[in-house]
Amino acid sequence: MNSETFSQSVLNPASPQAAGVSLLWWIMLLGAVIIFVAVMGLLFYGLWQARGARGSRLSWIASRNLVLAAGVAIPLLVLISLVGGSLLLSEAEASGPPDGALTIRVTGWRWWWEIQYLDEEGEVLATTANEMHVPVGRPLALRLVSGDVIHSFWVPELSGKTDLVPGHVNTSWFEVERPGVFRGQCAEFCGTQHALMAFLVFAEPEPEFEAWLARQAQPAEAPEGEQERRGREVFQSSTCLSCHNIRGVSEVGVLGPDLTHFGSRESLAAVTRPNTIGHLGGWIADPQGIKPGNLMPATALDSEELTALIAYLRGLE
Ligand code: CUA
């Protein structure tokens, strides 16, 4: 896992909603190029005229009408059309999704993302963190909330930005047009680790997604190996469970990511590190060294306990 593996570009849209944002960007660039060329043209024309001191031919450039038009009317026109365009786009995204949409509740926390799939009654089907799987070709209705401060949900290839505000539910929707892995990023400064608050969207064909969701909805399977069983004991006897839930094992945690199917994730700590044995060990031993200020304290474990815990967590698929 590295920054090149997952693309994150407004210019490579994979949903009609992101295509609208991309189009607006191209219009803005084209307009900026036209205005730049025109201003430079006038500047050089003026300089060329002034060299010969043929002041009379400069009169139309120096006239009050041109100053008014170029200084007031044109900027006003440009700003109104750009603001109008972006308001229309964000209104289309915030308005209700079409029927048959899949509802996903996303909660922003400092500094990670809780992702919950809801059924038609609004009951939670499955909870995961930092990695969202979605079906291609089905509208996705997002319910965006925050557990602490203001964050902003942004997947450049799939959607515009929508803030997650404490005490308020914001809605947004989009539909992914092609399979792929898309990187999302918190787009509102939310503290020192704001830059390390990323997430991944895995867009898959519907049957593959349904199989993934069915698996995520299950409680954790009992570990099979000796080391994994020892790892579960370590989890149950340490402070891990005061923040993290593993459904079927312990469900009292409230502050940290759900770990029920942790082994099925590709990344750690909101896409800060790949989910490998070494990085997981480093994260458990020294989370403050990797992401200073986050809520996870270092856990005092000896090497035997740490090895067993890592084996157990990675086996939670
Ligand atoms: Cu959350 Cu920036």
Side-chain angles (χ1 to χ4, degrees), residues 65-88:
N65 287 347
L66 183 79
V67 170
L68 276 180
V72 180
I74 294 175
L76 213 59
L77 193 73
V78 168
L79 288 178
I80 287 173
S81 33
L82 286 179
V83 168
S86 69
L87 282 180
L88 284 177

Side-chain angles (χ1 to χ4, degrees), residues 46-69:
L47 289 173
W48 177 69
Q49 289 287 309
R51 266 180 68 222
R54 284 170 286 187
S56 59
R57 288 179 61 188
L58 272 176
S59 58
W60 69 272
I61 294 183
S63 80
R64 185 182 296 173
N65 287 347
L66 183 79
V67 170
L68 276 180

Side-chain angles (χ1 to χ4, degrees), residues 109-111 113 150-152 186-191 194-195 197:
W109 296 91
R110 288 193 295 172
W111 293 277
W113 306 85
I150 299 176
H151 305 274
S152 187
C186 180
E188 179 69 46
F189 183 73
C190 53
H194 157 70
M197 187 171 168

